[in-house]
Amino acid sequence: LEDALTRYTESIQEVIMSGPTNFAPLINKAVDIARTTQQFHILVIVADGKVTSEDPTILALQRASNFPLSIICVGVGDGPWDMMEDFGERLPGRRFENFHFVDFHKIRRLARAVAPTFA
């Protein structure tokens, strides 16, 4: 995880994030890969804002649920993330719950507040 965070910190300085946010093209490309390989894949989307093109994204997520593909969206900006936190819960017509949202900064704050334990 630390290597991924380091690479993200380095890369973010070179990227200009902007909207509108439409995940459909990315999800559809991942569907094509999962369909071709017939292997399970996890698509991780790093986003700085909520989905603004909901209808195409919903259709892509419904289509994706027919293939071995799970999608994790990690929110890294200042949001607002309220809509994204329940976006996956209100998607009809999927064969399985294939979309999950994670508020990166919220999780990071919680992780700092909890002392690590080992089982």
Side-chain angles (χ1 to χ4, degrees):
L1 180 61
E2 288 304 317
D3 289 343
L5 291 174
T6 299
R7 184 65 189 127
Y8 171 77
T9 303
E10 293 168 356
S11 299
I12 196 65
Q13 297 173 18
E14 302 168 18
V15 175
I16 298 171
M17 295 190 182
S18 65
T21 304
N22 180 358
F23 297 150
L26 183 59
I27 294 168
N28 287 328
K29 180 63 178 173
V31 165
D32 292 343
I33 293 168
R35 184 182 62 231
T36 300
T37 63
Q38 287 298 305
Q39 294 178 338
F40 180 74
H41 292 274
I42 298 173
L43 171 63
V44 178
I45 300 171
V46 179
D48 69 334
K50 66 181 183 177
V51 173
T52 53
S53 300
E54 282 191 40
D55 290 341
T57 300
I58 289 169
L59 290 173
L61 288 167
Q62 289 168 336
R63 178 175 173 243
S65 74
N66 293 302
F67 299 95
L69 175 65
S70 286
I71 301 151
I72 301 170
C73 179
V74 180
V76 296
D78 56 3
W81 299 124
D82 296 345
M83 179 273 242
M84 290 300 293
E85 288 178 342
D86 67 11
F87 185 71
E89 304 301 319
R90 57 185 181 84
L91 294 174
R94 293 178 300 155
R95 294 183 67 194
F96 71 101
E97 191 174 320
N98 60 341
F99 179 85
H100 303 278
F101 175 77
V102 177
D103 180 339
F104 176 77
H105 297 294
K106 182 185 206 179
I107 297 299
R108 193 141 193 217
R109 279 191 305 273
L110 291 172
R112 287 185 186 138
V114 176
T117 60
F118 299 96

